[in-house]
Amino acid sequence: MLIAVAVASGVGLLWPVLANGAKAGTLTANGAVQRINREKAVVVDVSEAEEFAAGHLGGAKNVPLAQLEDKLTSTVKNKGLPLILVCATGARANRALAVAKKLGYEQAEVLSGGLKAWKEANLPVEKS
């Protein structure tokens, strides 16, 4: 019985660490603002060009998901900078995260909830 309690306690203590590992790469809108302002993070919007033109984060660079593997290294040359991946809802950005990590962008993260969450946080959006 004591062993079972000890194991259950250990799992309970480790659960937050394990859960955060599963969510690696996600970032809140406010967290993204901090990364941009404090760490000079580069924002890459993986939406299609029409979606990007309709609204995007200020200073974001547009590299559609289908072109990401070919164009990311020429768009963001410094792999040491934090990279924030964005799309309308976060779904494409989550797929883009694997590509960015494969290309060597270890500090790549996804804006959780995408542009929708950014707007819900009342943060500014640019149109082009």
Side-chain angles (χ1 to χ4, degrees), residues 26-42:
T26 60
L27 185 64
T28 65
N30 290 329
V33 170
Q34 289 180 350
R35 290 271 194 300
I36 293 165
N37 291 337
R38 294 181 184 166
E39 301 173 36
K40 307 294 184 221
V42 178

Side-chain angles (χ1 to χ4, degrees), residues 27-37 43 55-58 84 86 111-112 114-127:
L27 185 64
T28 65
N30 290 329
V33 170
Q34 289 180 350
R35 290 271 194 300
I36 293 165
N37 291 337
V43 179
H56 57 271
L57 279 68
I84 301 173
V86 184
L111 176 60
S112 183
L115 186 61
K116 181 180 178 205
W118 185 266
K119 289 178 182 177
E120 287 172 357
N122 292 321
L123 293 167
V125 175
E126 290 183 356
K127 294 183 180 184

Side-chain angles (χ1 to χ4, degrees), residues 52-99:
F52 182 79
H56 57 271
L57 279 68
K61 301 170 188 272
N62 183 225
V63 182
L65 180 59
Q67 301 170 9
L68 192 67
E69 194 160 357
D70 296 330
K71 295 188 176 182
L72 184 60
T73 54
S74 62
T75 304
V76 182
K77 293 178 174 49
N78 187 348
K79 293 181 180 181
L81 288 175
L83 178 68
I84 301 173
L85 299 163
V86 184
C87 67
T89 62
R92 283 176 283 183
N94 276 317
R95 289 189 302 225
L97 181 62
V99 174

